[in-house]
Amino acid sequence: MLEVLLNRLDDMERKLSDLQTELKEHREEVERNRIPDCVLSTPAPPELNSTTPTTLPTTSTTQPTETDPEIYTSCQDTPIKVSGVYSIRVKNDSEPIKVYCEMEKFRGGWIVLQHRFDGSVDFYRDWVEYREGFGDLNSEFWLGLEHVHQLTTSRKFELIVELEDFNGNSGYARYNAFQIGSEKEKYKLKNVGPYIGSIGMTVLKVLRLLSRR
């Protein structure tokens, strides 16, 4: 009888161990599915410091295309106020880069640095991929540390971190200055301004970086 009881206890311990392992794996999966997302912006006029996001009226319903020959100095300079992929030239002598411009939220004109929302793109990457960027500008992507460095050293930018949890609750954090160093400096965060917004930085579930000149 004692032997039967001991065997049952062993069996219960094995099942408990299996349940603990499954719970750990589930927690890790939830953590992996948390969504970071980012945007750069140039300093906004005083009236843009409202905590309530507004939208700009669009001038056209035509979506920009990846073959659009037009090159702009920033998302704010695009004549079509529609969110989409545009070509931006950081300096007069630099090659243009393709960016996703957010033209509706926060009065528009923002370069999206990172967008992550459904796990369709693997963000577990190496140094080179984070330097160069990866993903699809029309879906999940990371713009690339080198592009962010070039942008933030060419002119003054502000930063918005937009967050949303799995229940649709959203908020944002806004900083009036943002700059990162070069690859030689390991892309160190060199400047970030004072914070305003509706979220704390310890509760990130969805991160969206927006930048505007």
Side-chain angles (χ1 to χ4, degrees):
M1 187 66 174
L2 179 59
E3 183 178 356
V4 172
L5 289 173
L6 290 175
N7 288 335
R8 288 184 177 178
L9 285 174
D10 289 340
D11 185 55
M12 291 176 64
E13 287 179 355
R14 284 194 298 271
K15 290 181 178 179
L16 179 59
S17 178
D18 291 341
L19 286 172
Q20 289 174 334
T21 301
E22 290 179 7
L23 179 59
K24 181 180 179 182
E25 291 175 351
H26 176 71
R27 287 175 176 172
E28 291 175 350
E29 180 66 22
V30 170
E31 289 296 323
R32 285 194 296 270
N33 288 334
R34 289 187 176 183
I35 309 170
D37 201 12
C38 318
V39 205
L40 275 181
S41 158
T42 54
E47 66 270 19
L48 296 189
N49 288 330
S50 168
T51 58
T52 303
T54 58
T55 60
L56 288 178
T58 58
T59 57
S60 170
T61 58
T62 304
Q63 290 286 346
T65 66
E66 298 239 2
T67 57
D68 190 346
E70 297 295 332
I71 299 174
Y72 307 100
T73 58
S74 74
C75 288
Q76 288 182 317
D77 295 335
T78 60
I80 302 175
K81 303 305 179 184
V82 178
S83 297
V85 177
Y86 295 83
S87 293
I88 300 295
R89 192 187 301 277
V90 178
K91 298 178 182 178
N92 291 334
D93 58 349
S94 65
E95 290 294 320
I97 61 174
K98 288 191 179 296
V99 301
Y100 189 92
C101 294
E102 170 57 60
M103 308 300 283
E104 299 170 8
K105 292 187 175 182
F106 306 101
R107 295 203 172 186
W110 300 84
I111 298 172
V112 180
L113 303 184
Q114 177 176 299
H115 196 199
R116 190 179 183 192
F117 57 91
D118 64 6
S120 59
V121 172
D122 181 11
F123 274 70
Y124 289 87
R125 306 286 183 128
D126 60 23
W127 174 267
V128 174
E129 290 174 298
Y130 268 95
R131 181 187 67 198
E132 301 299 324
F134 55 84
D136 181 350
L137 289 175
N138 288 301
S139 181
E140 290 197 341
F141 68 90
W142 165 245
L143 186 61
L145 287 165
E146 185 58 34
H147 290 325
V148 178
H149 164 66
Q150 292 174 9
L151 286 166
T152 59
T153 55
S154 66
R155 59 196 72 151
K156 187 176 180 181
F157 277 85
E158 64 177 336
L159 173 71
I160 285 182
V161 180
E162 185 185 18
L163 312 172
E164 182 179 332
D165 66 19
F166 300 111
N167 296 317
N169 302 308
S170 63
Y172 74 97
R174 187 169 186 161
Y175 303 85
N176 67 6
F178 175 62
Q179 182 183 4
I180 69 169
S182 64
E183 183 176 17
K184 185 177 180 180
E185 298 170 299
K186 298 183 178 180
Y187 300 114
K188 179 181 178 181
L189 179 62
K190 300 181 72 173
N191 185 26
V192 62
Y195 156 85
I196 63 169
S198 58
I199 57 169
M201 293 307 293
T202 60
V203 294
L204 305 188
K205 286 192 177 178
V206 178
L207 167 65
R208 192 174 182 209
L209 289 181
L210 303 161
S211 168
R212 187 174 61 194
R213 177 175 64 81

